[in-house]
Amino acid sequence: MRRAVRLLSLALSAVFATASASHAQAPKEVVIGVIYPLSGNLAQIGIDSVTAMKMAVELYNTKSDLNLPAMKKTTEGLPGLGGAKIRLIVVDHQGKPDVGQAEAERLITQEKVTAILGSVFSSVTATTSQVAERYGVPHMNGESSSPSLTERGFKWFFRTSPHDGHFTLAMFDFLKDFEKKKGVKFKTVGLMHEDTLFGADSGKVQEELAKKYGYEVVLNMAYRAKTTSLDAEVGRLKAAGPDVFFPTSYTSDAVLYIKTAKTLEYIPRMLIAQNAGWVDPQFVAEMNKDIEGHITRSPFALDLQAKKPLIRQINELFKKQKDNPGGRDISEAPTRALTAFTVLVDAINRAKSTNPEEIRKALVATNVPPDQLLMPWTGVRFDEKGQNAGVRAILQQIQKGAYATIWPFDLAAADVIYPLPGFKDKK
């Protein structure tokens, strides 16, 4: 009997010793490096995205009952790491790949971050992820849509959002559905894109799918990003007269296109943008009625909140953030950043460690259900390339200064404005 008691005592001592050691090894904080554009022509997108992530950090570091990944909990901090708090280190890449590369290097080697998240621009994400891959640090991405980013065979790169292949497929599926529903027929398309990785990949996949769906590509033009003139390009568009025009432009170029098209009085029957400038709240506010009827692809829609009450909850919190003094609604860019960030934190929490390999294994095993997402996706599950296999793209149209979901038709909140009204007819 005495021997049994002694063995039990030794066993309990070992358990308590292990628990104590584990608790002692748990980090007090998890440091995540965030690389976003905080200056330049996409600064507002970067600022809003960082605001959304800071909001999420406050929720993770306190008790929360929100149904986001790893956020519904009765304790402060991350329960998987003994209550460790999250701290962000936010840096500005200025829209420049070389700056992003240098900042990624600094975050990993000097700041010792657990993971990196960013970077909106596909060209910048390409360089920051190369650095993360070299050092074996998890790199999460929520916005960059160049398909090639997940075709490089990288081990440490993960993307939650659709890429331009998914989005462009949705655009052409929409055209076919629209033709069938409205009894119209489109024959020709025109493509114009900026010349960085984002634009080049977009133009390539759009031309491939246009031909596959039976449309004649009458023009496929690349222009220099951040150009000061699009007179020649818009002139060629007007001369070619495609039924549907597909622009791929960041904000400053998108503004220039609208002003040039207005001057030259170029109006296609339908315009479908590859996101970017067309989802920048600053662009929508500045262009106002001149972009009435323009369509853009998106992974998120605020008007889906009737079907997803979680959107309303997050939007109310976002409007109260101190870095959102105007109380603007949450838009596509911050929701994409928030989604990527919560998926990353969920993996770190499940890994119960800040060890890079343990976090990578947890990311590979990710299975976030649709009720924990703001997006209309079937969930988040990464394929062997690090691409989320649960994505679903939607199309929105700018109607009376706001985005209205128009496709898939089963999710539509408004009918499609067609054809595009002339600039003088827009109200």
Side-chain angles (χ1 to χ4, degrees):
M1 182 65 183
R2 284 183 178 176
R3 184 170 182 273
V5 170
R6 184 167 178 270
L7 287 174
L8 177 60
S9 177
L10 287 172
L12 288 173
S13 297
V15 169
F16 287 134
T18 301
S20 298
S22 176
H23 181 73
Q25 292 169 0
K28 293 183 179 179
E29 64 177 14
V30 175
V31 184
I32 298 175
V34 173
I35 307 178
Y36 271 71
L38 303 177
S39 58
N41 62 349
L42 286 191
Q44 193 60 55
I45 283 178
I47 292 167
D48 287 349
S49 298
V50 171
T51 297
M53 285 184 273
K54 288 181 176 177
M55 178 183 76
V57 168
E58 290 181 9
L59 295 166
Y60 278 121
N61 288 346
T62 56
K63 298 174 184 177
S64 170
D65 62 354
L66 277 173
N67 193 29
L68 289 171
M71 198 175 280
K72 184 174 283 189
K73 55 195 178 52
T74 57
T75 58
E76 296 183 352
L78 298 182
L81 285 95
K85 303 292 179 63
I86 300 173
R87 179 166 64 90
L88 300 182
I89 298 180
V90 180
V91 298
D92 177 15
H93 64 55
Q94 306 169 34
K96 300 174 181 176
D98 58 332
V99 175
Q101 183 177 5
E103 288 291 6
E105 184 103 19
R106 184 180 67 81
L107 287 171
I108 293 171
T109 60
Q110 298 181 32
E111 302 290 352
K112 309 296 182 185
V113 297
T114 295
I116 283 180
L117 194 143
S119 305
V120 181
F121 289 80
S122 291
S123 56
V124 180
T125 301
T127 60
T128 57
S129 57
Q130 284 172 352
V131 175
E133 189 75 11
R134 189 165 71 247
Y135 284 98
V137 171
H139 188 305
M140 178 62 72
N141 172 262
E143 312 89 359
S144 303
S145 58
S146 173
S148 61
L149 290 172
T150 43
E151 296 295 325
R152 299 173 293 175
F154 279 14
K155 177 182 176 183
W156 299 90
F157 183 73
F158 297 84
R159 172 164 53 191
T160 49
S161 286
H163 58 57
D164 288 337
H166 301 117
F167 284 125
T168 305
L169 191 64
M171 293 175 183
F172 286 102
D173 282 342
F174 160 71
L175 286 184
K176 290 300 181 187
D177 284 355
F178 185 77
E179 287 177 326
K180 184 177 180 181
K181 184 176 182 179
K182 296 293 184 180
V184 298
K185 178 61 182 174
F186 300 117
K187 296 181 179 178
T188 59
V189 303
L191 314 177
M192 184 180 79
H193 56 86
E194 50 98 82
D195 63 352
T196 71
L197 181 62
F198 165 57
D201 275 3
S202 173
K204 180 181 177 183
V205 72
Q206 284 182 332
E207 181 165 21
E208 290 173 354
L209 283 173
K211 292 176 179 176
K212 181 179 178 182
Y213 276 68
Y215 299 109
E216 180 186 358
V217 180
V218 294
L219 212 58
N220 185 358
M221 297 180 294
Y223 68 87
R224 193 181 189 107
K226 302 177 184 177
T227 183
T228 56
S229 174
L230 286 172
D231 289 357
E233 288 80 1
V234 176
R236 291 179 62 192
L237 273 169
K238 187 174 182 179
D243 294 332
V244 185
F245 172 46
F246 294 82
T248 302
S249 303
Y250 287 121
T251 304
S252 62
D253 298 342
V255 170
L256 182 60
Y257 161 74
I258 300 298
K259 291 180 177 178
T260 307
K262 190 173 183 178
T263 300
L264 299 181
E265 297 183 340
Y266 168 63
I267 305 159
R269 290 165 63 189
M270 180 176 282
L271 182 152
I272 305 177
Q274 190 74 282
N275 194 267
W278 270 264
V279 297
D280 185 341
Q282 188 176 345
F283 169 75
V284 177
E286 185 177 346
M287 293 294 97
N288 201 348
K289 64 180 182 181
D290 285 344
I291 54 173
E292 176 76 3
H294 287 199
I295 297 170
T296 181
R297 50 79 163 172
S298 177
F300 169 76
L302 190 62
D303 59 14
L304 293 179
Q305 55 186 299
K307 295 182 173 75
K308 275 185 165 288
L310 184 60
I311 294 176
R312 183 179 292 109
Q313 287 181 284
I314 296 299
N315 189 39
E316 290 304 313
L317 289 173
F318 182 79
K319 290 195 294 185
K320 296 175 183 175
Q321 296 302 301
K322 64 180 181 180
D323 293 333
N324 182 16
R328 289 184 292 107
D329 288 322
I330 197 166
S331 57
E332 185 226 311
T335 54
R336 294 173 82 170
L338 181 68
T339 299
F341 181 69
T342 56
V343 169
L344 174 62
V345 172
D346 174 64
I348 294 172
N349 186 57
R350 285 186 288 105
K352 300 181 179 180
S353 169
T354 54
N355 177 274
E357 180 58 26
E358 295 304 316
I359 296 172
R360 194 193 68 81
K361 289 179 180 175
L363 283 167
V364 170
T366 292
N367 188 10
V368 176
D371 66 336
Q372 293 183 16
L373 296 173
L374 300 170
M375 311 303 195
W377 304 342
T378 61
V380 178
R381 303 175 302 280
F382 295 111
D383 63 18
E384 69 281 1
K385 297 177 180 177
Q387 171 63 47
N388 177 19
V391 296
R392 185 186 191 192
I394 60 176
L395 293 184
Q396 295 182 294
Q397 188 171 43
I398 298 169
Q399 298 186 0
K400 297 179 180 177
Y403 299 104
T405 300
I406 55 167
W407 187 87
F409 291 136
D410 63 312
L411 296 178
D415 199 9
V416 181
I417 295 175
Y418 176 82
L420 271 180
F423 286 106
K424 295 178 181 177
D425 301 324
K426 294 183 178 181
K427 300 178 180 177

